[in-house]
Amino acid sequence: MTAATGIGARVLRTEDKRFLTGTGRYVDDLPLARATYAHFVRSPHAHAKIKSIDTSAARAMPGVVAIFTGKDIADAKVGGLICGWVVKDKHGQPHKAPPHPVMAADTVRYVGDTVAMVVANSHDEAKDAAEAIKVDYDAKPANVDLAKALDKGAPEVHPEAPGNLIYDWEIGVKADVDAAFAKAAHVTKIDIVNNRLIPNAMEPRAAAAEYDKGTGNYTLWSTSQNPHVLRLILSAFVLGIPEHKLRVIAPDVGGGFGSKIFCYNEETMVTWAASRVGRPIKWTAERSESFQTDAHGRDHVTHAELALDKDGKFLALKVETIANMGAYLSTFSTAVPTYLYATLLAGQYTTPLIYANVKAALTNTAPVDAYRGAGRPEATYVIESIVSKAAKELKMDPADLRRKNFIPSTAFPYQTPVALQYDSGNYPPIIDEAIKIADYKGFEARRAEAKSRGKLRGIGFSSYIEACGLAPSQVIGQLGGGVGQWESAQLKFNPTGNIQILTGAHSHGQGHETTFAQLISDKLGVPMDQIEVVHGDTATTPFGMGSYGSRSLAVGGSAIMKAADKIIAKGKKIAAHLMEASVADVVFENGTFKVAGTDKAVPLGQAVFAAYVPHNYPLAEIEPGMDENAFYDPANFVYPAGTQICEVEIDPETGVVEVVNHTAVDDFGNIINPMIVEGQVHGGIVQGVGQALLENAVYDKETGQLISGSYMDYTMPRADDVPSFKLGYKVTPCPHNPLGVKGCGEAGAIAAPAAVMNAVHDALAPLGVSHVPMPATPLNVWQAIHGARAAAE
Amino acid sequence: MYDFHYHRPKTLADAVNLLKGKDEARPMSGGMTLIPTLKQRLARPSDVVDLGGIKELAGIKVEGNNVVIGGMTRHADVASSADVKSAIPALAYLAEHIGDPQVRNRGTIGGSIANNDPAADYPGAVVGLNATVTTNTGKHTADSFFKGLFETALSDGELVTSVSFPKAEKAAYMKFPNPASRYAMVGVFVAKTAGGVRVAVTGAGPCVFRVKAMEDALAKNFSSDAIKDIKVPADGLNSDIHASAEYRAHLVNVMARRAVDAANK
Ligand SMILES: Cc1cc2nc3c(=O)[nH]c(=O)nc-3n(C[C@H](O)[C@H](O)[C@H](O)COP(=O)(O)OP(=O)(O)OC[C@H]3O[C@@H](n4cnc5c(N)ncnc54)[C@H](O)[C@@H]3O)c2cc1C
């Protein structure tokens, strides 16, 4: 309604004031009286038996309050951490579920596995004592190399998962796909590795816990993306503290990218120990602990084949993937390479037959779980790599081959062969717009100009689809998910007319405090400065599912709109009473209730006041107060889609790749705040470029040591690694949520790796290079060029 | 970090005295290397002697044919010095390409060469220009100063007080940064001075080294063509996840040619 702050307005982010002035309040900032500090002793081995732990010297060190080992946890009968998604294998059997102890008692399984917790009066004293703990290990061979993790004779990570296999899962009918391949005019094949990534949120994970002896209540402050879910897991499965006796608060959180969805050892330990120690306990990960123990992302080894007819129509797709789970199953790990990956393999195309086989493998590395895009970047990388390679092999224009196979706009809702039903979309105008913005026509001239400077220029497309806005609860239940996926909202007016939006979604950088306020400003006509968005505290907000999977607006925003409808409905009754009109005649416009065709009007604020001071009020019909709750369970996922076009220049002498142009055109449905959406797309593309060119989590294949364990060796993208992006939008509103919105949080990271890598391959094609592994680092590019030259000689 | 005694002397003599006789005492200049080492508990000094308060150690002077840079001079000051820019622009360029602004505003030339990180930039310039390192006890030639991986000719308690760089007729530094750390993965400093032509390579091996064959070729013909076929052997070069020894050897040639071209501009 208010044009300056309503839907579609570029409102500056309300929360940025505190973030940019250093007044945000993060877990580590908490002033807790009598606090103690925890430090964890971690395994230096990738795989070892713990022969003994001697804590006696450490216990005598200054400032030490308590020391706990895996044995203490086992003796106290603390439950293990859970994997919340049961994936059934191709024989209908549930996945193998090896135990995930909160602290290792007899075996350590990756470098960084927790062995003991020291609690002391200061962090330095805790560290001093930790050094005095003697752990006697019996090192065992480690299973590190994913490509060989399932081989016969590979070291076994858990006896409960023979051969390191968590599941052997499939989707589609292999025989049908094979039959289609037999008739194909052309088959394109790829072997690709989706490189392992370390999330690197700016704020490391942190936890602080306090136990109130008088009430028996626990409070846990955690860097969580979903405090209610964390509480549920800790209560129902791990610690047994009744839900109503455990309050979880996720205050300002500095980035998550998925890594803060999960329930981790350290927050569990800190909560458990708080009552035993009798004082609050604080823990903040050091950066090297984040590298070693935050759940990592991606890490697939894939072989794929695409069958085409003589005109370039896709006939069938066959995909075989080994997905790394790491040493333990993290909270949602099993779902990522199955329901968030293989179900996306149709992409934007009409490929009628798809078969995918996914084997999840255990390795002696950190757990792997959802990371920005979770499964969908992996799927997009497979599809968009193979489609671009097919275009090259068939000497077709990569845009034309894509267009030829796009799902036509008339086909929606479109049932894919891999379970999902796309609700809406219109792909050709997106690629047309991207081509226009990127000046695709002018590319060959730019390539020639680059050549005159000794540079190889290439262009790459990536047309992605993703399913987000997680998700319809019943579908999730059928697929093995252990939780509902609705979202909640509460709209709580105060008597003076200002309002709190309480949401079950959680903002850790996304800007909900602005976007959600815009929804209410638009819908109810309340000025932005009269709106407060409250999130992240199980004691104040309604039960909610948190933020991940680009769901906050599509699901959480929809819940807010539903609650707003209830406010309007109630307000109409109050206004009708005040105006002595019939409810049916009352309309709500621009923040005011009116009787059509008269000059009678009651501003919303007046109705709110009447609700709290109900002196002239229809008490017989309605309750006082203006406080409405809503839960919204979506009818389907939402399906953002788009095309990115990347242009790179490569220095053939050094192998250095520079991204010189990058265009993204997206269909996110309706857009609430274009500035925030741009920010999400920019950040996502940078993360995608990071995966394509820079980032790589590397373990030593023998010892399992994390080689890229600091910023000295893990290449985070920096501002000067990317050009200014060119963005565009096409809108097909989502047909099944009240806002018509889709998600925008992950799209950039989903599409970019394939766009960049296709551009790299395009640039190097004249040299006869057929494959560069991701990330296309200078070394990898140089070796590919070198290899191609050697082969040619 | 572990506890230590912190000192901030005002004179070089006091600093030397504070360090004397204490096996576990360490000088600190910018702290850009020392402090992270302490934070990670990789070092446990009894005493840290901060050289930041010693005025005589910082500053840049032109003395005849030399640019003399005090040991406590920050990279940012070298990068922006009008004297350095006019006398040896390649040195200012090198300093400008160390780390990031925060690091350049703290890190010093004395700390950098005393530390002798194999991936540090300054050793390239010190050897490439045949500079002289002055300490509280004497002088070291460039070729004798850098001994090996993190090893120098400095004895215990000996402090770098200044480095004297001869002006160059032509000089350039070409750095191929490590993609992650942005230290030198390969850095080549090429200079033509009154003393002849030098080609110094940092980042590629365990310690800065010269490429004699290139120096000889360039002495005859200072052009990139003259060295285009001169390869350094990969044997003994560093190899890690960012670059194999072969790749580093290749980059030495590429960076050397580019440095010569830049020096000729
Ligand atoms: C993020 C980051 C990025 C960096 N990038 C680069 C880069 O790209 N290129 C590069 O070359 N360097 C780089 N550095 C290193 C930095 O530039 C400094 O040169 C380096 O840290 C040493 O200088 P300092 O003054 O900080 O020494 P300090 O950390 O104070 O000391 C280093 C060592 O030298 C000893 N020492 C200090 N001063 C003296 C002295 N006067 N005499 C004798 N011994 C002494 C100390 O005891 C210590 O052992 C980087 C550092 C960081 C933190």
Side-chain angles (χ1 to χ4, degrees):
Chain A
M1 84 139 292
T2 23
T5 58
I7 288 176
R10 303 176 71 89
V11 182
L12 290 182
R13 302 197 339 162
T14 318
E15 49 271 78
D16 280 350
K17 189 174 169 209
R18 71 175 190 278
F19 295 154
L20 296 176
T21 56
T23 47
R25 296 260 270 161
Y26 298 86
V27 172
D28 193 62
D29 296 326
L30 268 184
L32 289 176
R34 299 177 61 245
T36 63
Y37 298 83
H39 184 76
F40 290 89
V41 176
R42 298 184 182 278
S43 170
H45 299 286
H47 197 193
K49 266 224 120 39
I50 301 174
K51 291 199 329 210
S52 65
I53 304 181
D54 180 358
T55 58
S56 52
R59 282 180 205 277
M61 303 268 294
V64 172
V65 175
I67 295 177
F68 302 101
T69 65
K71 188 172 174 306
D72 298 319
I73 302 297
D75 290 349
K77 306 241 175 314
V78 172
L81 299 181
I82 59 154
C83 174
W85 200 304
V86 180
V87 169
K88 290 201 175 134
D89 72 7
K90 61 185 186 190
H91 309 296
Q93 295 302 308
H95 71 77
K96 297 288 187 302
H100 186 175
V102 173
M103 203 137 63
D106 50 29
T107 304
V108 286
R109 294 188 169 83
Y110 69 102
V111 172
D113 209 352
T114 44
V115 173
M117 177 169 85
V118 182
V119 182
N121 287 331
S122 73
H123 187 229
D124 275 334
E125 286 168 322
K127 284 184 91 167
D128 288 345
E131 283 176 8
I133 292 178
K134 291 191 203 69
V135 187
D136 192 5
Y137 293 103
D138 186 2
K140 303 209 289 188
N143 185 33
V144 183
D145 187 352
L146 177 62
K148 297 182 187 148
L150 299 172
D151 288 359
K152 230 183 151 133
E156 196 166 78
V157 181
H158 286 275
E160 294 82 358
N164 299 313
L165 185 67
I166 286 296
Y167 52 69
D168 180 352
W169 177 91
E170 64 182 3
I171 190 166
V173 181
K174 186 158 187 296
D176 295 352
V177 170
D178 286 341
F181 269 82
K183 282 184 268 161
H186 184 84
V187 173
T188 296
K189 301 179 183 179
I190 52 168
D191 282 283
I192 51 176
V193 171
N194 201 289
N195 45 318
R196 181 177 179 121
L197 303 177
I198 301 178
N200 280 297
M202 203 187 297
E203 182 202 18
R205 286 190 293 118
E210 186 171 48
Y211 176 69
D212 182 332
K213 207 171 165 191
T215 59
N217 289 344
Y218 289 81
T219 305
L220 165 65
W221 290 265
S222 170
T223 49
S224 175
Q225 299 181 212
N226 40 354
H228 279 97
V229 176
L230 177 59
R231 185 183 67 167
L232 177 64
I233 293 174
L234 286 175
S235 292
F237 301 99
V238 188
L239 292 176
I241 302 166
E243 250 181 308
H244 67 300
K245 294 302 222 181
L246 174 59
R247 175 179 182 184
V248 178
I249 301 173
D252 284 335
V253 174
F257 311 109
S259 70
K260 292 171 180 169
I261 298 172
F262 323 119
C263 178
Y264 284 94
N265 317 50
E266 296 88 353
E267 56 201 354
T268 306
M269 280 301 300
V270 162
T271 310
W272 177 80
S275 60
R276 276 145 191 93
V277 165
R279 287 165 62 185
I281 306 177
K282 294 184 76 169
W283 170 77
T284 300
E286 295 185 2
R287 186 55 70 180
S288 20
E289 291 181 288
S290 304
F291 271 101
Q292 285 186 349
T293 68
D294 287 2
H296 293 180
R298 320 281 192 256
D299 208 354
H300 285 191
V301 174
T302 295
H303 171 79
E305 299 184 11
L306 177 67
L308 302 95
D309 74 8
K310 63 177 189 344
D311 303 320
K313 266 284 206 194
F314 304 160
L315 300 175
L317 176 70
K318 200 156 52 176
V319 177
E320 277 163 43
T321 292
I322 305 177
N324 204 342
M325 296 283 106
Y328 300 99
L329 297 182
S330 174
T331 316
F332 292 111
S333 55
T334 49
V336 177
T338 48
Y339 297 112
L340 296 178
Y341 166 69
T343 53
L344 272 303
L345 286 169
Q348 297 190 0
Y349 311 112
T350 54
T351 319
L353 294 163
I354 296 173
Y355 172 79
N357 173 226
V358 179
K359 295 188 179 83
L362 290 172
T363 57
N364 291 110
T365 63
V368 180
D369 207 325
Y371 170 65
R372 200 171 193 171
R376 292 148 288 164
E378 295 92 312
T380 303
Y381 187 50
V382 172
I383 306 162
E384 291 306 287
S385 296
I386 206 165
V387 168
S388 279
K389 190 172 181 202
K392 273 234 141 56
E393 289 175 353
L394 296 172
K395 301 198 168 36
M396 281 182 72
D397 181 277
D400 288 346
L401 182 60
R402 284 175 168 82
R403 273 201 207 89
K404 189 183 269 286
N405 288 283
F406 278 158
I407 298 160
S409 64
T410 49
F412 291 92
Y414 176 80
Q415 180 60 51
T416 73
V418 274
L420 295 176
Q421 191 187 75
Y422 299 168
D423 59 359
S424 60
N426 189 6
Y427 308 140
I430 297 177
I431 201 167
D432 291 346
E433 178 78 2
I435 279 173
K436 204 169 87 198
I437 295 176
D439 183 25
Y440 184 48
K441 281 209 195 84
F443 173 71
E444 286 306 331
R446 294 195 293 281
R447 196 199 299 262
E449 187 279 328
K451 200 168 174 202
S452 73
R453 289 182 280 112
K455 293 285 177 69
L456 299 169
R457 195 161 173 129
I459 195 160
F461 284 76
S462 174
S463 296
Y464 78 96
I465 176 93
E466 64 144 325
C468 61
L470 310 184
S473 295
Q474 290 180 355
V475 174
I476 296 300
Q478 283 157 17
L479 301 181
V483 286
Q485 293 270 356
W486 42 263
E487 197 45 87
S488 64
Q490 183 183 358
L491 295 181
K492 203 157 85 175
F493 270 100
N494 296 310
T496 53
N498 46 38
I499 180 174
Q500 282 179 313
I501 304 173
L502 296 103
T503 170
H506 183 270
S507 185
H508 30 281
Q510 294 90 338
H512 296 171
E513 290 170 38
T514 309
T515 305
F516 290 176
Q518 276 180 263
L519 298 181
I520 287 305
S521 171
D522 191 276
K523 178 101 174 171
L524 300 181
V526 182
M528 288 289 280
D529 63 0
Q530 300 290 303
I531 304 170
E532 177 84 1
V533 175
V534 181
H535 59 90
D537 183 348
T538 59
T540 57
T541 62
F543 197 104
M545 303 312 299
S547 289
Y548 45 83
S550 303
R551 68 190 303 275
S552 299
L553 182 62
V555 190
S558 295
I560 292 170
M561 296 312 273
K562 261 186 88 174
D565 284 334
K566 293 183 186 176
I567 295 278
I568 294 170
K570 185 167 185 179
K572 277 186 181 170
K573 290 181 190 160
I574 301 168
H577 175 88
L578 294 175
M579 296 186 286
E580 296 176 347
S582 131
V583 176
D585 294 337
V586 178
V587 292
F588 183 64
E589 275 171 21
N590 299 333
T592 302
F593 298 99
K594 293 176 188 155
V595 178
T598 74
D599 60 359
K600 289 184 181 174
V602 169
L604 175 60
Q606 189 186 336
V608 168
F609 187 78
Y612 285 103
V613 186
H615 297 165
N616 175 16
Y617 193 85
L619 281 169
E621 291 150 47
I622 50 175
E623 296 167 10
M626 198 60 122
D627 185 346
E628 295 290 347
N629 244 311
F631 288 77
Y632 175 81
D633 203 300
N636 192 353
F637 296 88
V638 292
Y639 297 93
T643 289
Q644 291 190 6
I645 301 177
C646 176
E647 247 174 277
V648 299
E649 279 189 10
I650 298 179
D651 177 346
E653 259 190 336
T654 60
V656 170
V657 179
E658 188 190 350
V659 177
V660 289
N661 262 326
H662 199 104
T663 302
V665 177
D666 292 290
D667 175 3
F668 296 137
N670 294 327
I671 288 176
I672 308 301
N673 183 327
M675 184 201 70
I676 287 182
V677 170
E678 276 163 26
Q680 290 292 317
V681 175
H682 286 176
I685 295 174
V686 174
Q687 268 172 309
V689 171
Q691 166 156 37
L693 298 180
L694 307 165
E695 298 183 49
N696 204 12
V698 182
Y699 282 95
D700 182 284
K701 288 201 162 113
E702 292 297 314
T703 64
Q705 295 296 324
L706 180 61
I707 298 173
S708 57
S710 81
Y711 294 125
M712 292 298 282
D713 286 302
Y714 189 86
T715 315
M716 286 297 284
R718 294 156 161 102
D720 64 0
D721 287 317
V722 290
S724 285
F725 304 125
K726 298 173 187 161
L727 307 187
Y729 302 100
K730 290 282 167 191
V731 176
T732 58
C734 171
H736 59 77
N737 66 45
L739 289 162
V741 295
K742 304 176 179 181
C744 71
E746 298 162 289
I750 289 170
V756 177
M757 291 305 289
N758 286 337
V760 167
H761 284 106
D762 183 51
L764 295 177
L767 302 184
V769 171
S770 59
H771 179 66
V772 180
M774 187 158 76
T777 59
L779 174 64
N780 282 344
V781 172
W782 179 77
Q783 281 176 338
I785 294 174
H786 206 63
R789 284 206 177 122
E793 273 160 19
Chain B
M1 57 179 78
Y2 300 108
D3 287 348
F4 53 80
H5 298 286
Y6 174 80
H7 313 273
R8 194 174 162 89
K10 290 214 153 47
T11 66
L12 182 61
D14 285 351
V16 169
N17 275 332
L18 282 163
L19 289 163
K20 205 180 288 168
K22 297 192 191 92
D23 283 354
E24 305 296 327
R26 291 281 288 276
M28 179 173 84
S29 290
M32 288 293 92
T33 293
L34 186 61
I35 291 175
T37 314
L38 298 180
K39 280 186 162 176
Q40 290 177 77
R41 297 184 160 220
L42 297 172
R44 190 171 201 163
S46 58
D47 298 76
V48 169
V49 179
D50 184 345
L51 308 181
I54 307 173
K55 291 223 170 58
E56 61 198 283
L57 282 185
I60 299 166
K61 286 178 293 196
V62 179
E63 292 177 358
N65 198 37
N66 293 295
V67 178
V68 182
I69 301 179
M72 256 316 292
T73 312
R74 318 272 182 193
H75 309 327
D77 294 328
V78 175
S80 61
S81 156
D83 285 338
V84 178
K85 279 187 185 168
S86 79
I88 319 170
L91 187 58
Y93 173 92
L94 176 147
E96 171 99 60
H97 287 80
I98 295 175
D100 49 46
Q102 289 89 335
V103 168
R104 290 195 289 276
N105 281 314
R106 295 289 315 167
T108 67
I109 189 167
S112 176
I113 66 168
N115 192 49
N116 194 18
D117 188 311
D121 295 296
Y122 266 130
V126 172
V127 172
L129 287 162
N130 195 16
T132 303
V133 179
T134 303
T135 71
N136 57 312
T137 59
K139 290 187 191 302
H140 299 274
T141 62
D143 290 340
S144 67
F145 185 78
F146 301 103
K147 291 278 188 208
L149 189 72
F150 293 106
E151 217 189 296
T152 65
L154 294 172
S155 47
D156 276 351
E158 186 178 355
L159 294 174
V160 174
T161 53
S162 69
V163 187
S164 172
F165 293 92
K167 287 183 188 169
E169 191 185 312
K170 287 178 174 184
Y173 180 62
M174 270 302 142
K175 172 177 183 173
F176 190 101
N178 175 306
S181 72
R182 294 196 176 176
Y183 273 73
M185 198 157 87
V186 170
V188 179
F189 201 103
V190 174
K192 188 175 183 184
T193 64
V197 174
R198 280 184 168 234
V199 177
V201 178
T202 187
C207 182
V208 60
F209 64 89
R210 290 167 63 187
V211 186
K212 200 78 182 55
M214 287 187 181
E215 292 179 355
D216 293 345
L218 290 169
K220 291 196 202 104
N221 171 14
F222 197 82
S223 82
S224 55
D225 263 358
I227 55 169
K228 75 175 193 307
D229 295 323
I230 300 177
K231 297 202 163 61
V232 298
D235 275 2
L237 294 190
N238 302 334
S239 183
D240 53 38
I241 59 173
H242 307 287
S244 60
E246 293 71 28
Y247 180 46
R248 277 191 167 87
H250 166 78
L251 286 176
V252 169
N253 180 279
V254 178
M255 293 296 118
R257 280 187 283 120
R258 291 183 184 182
V260 172
D261 287 341
N264 279 328
K265 276 214 177 107

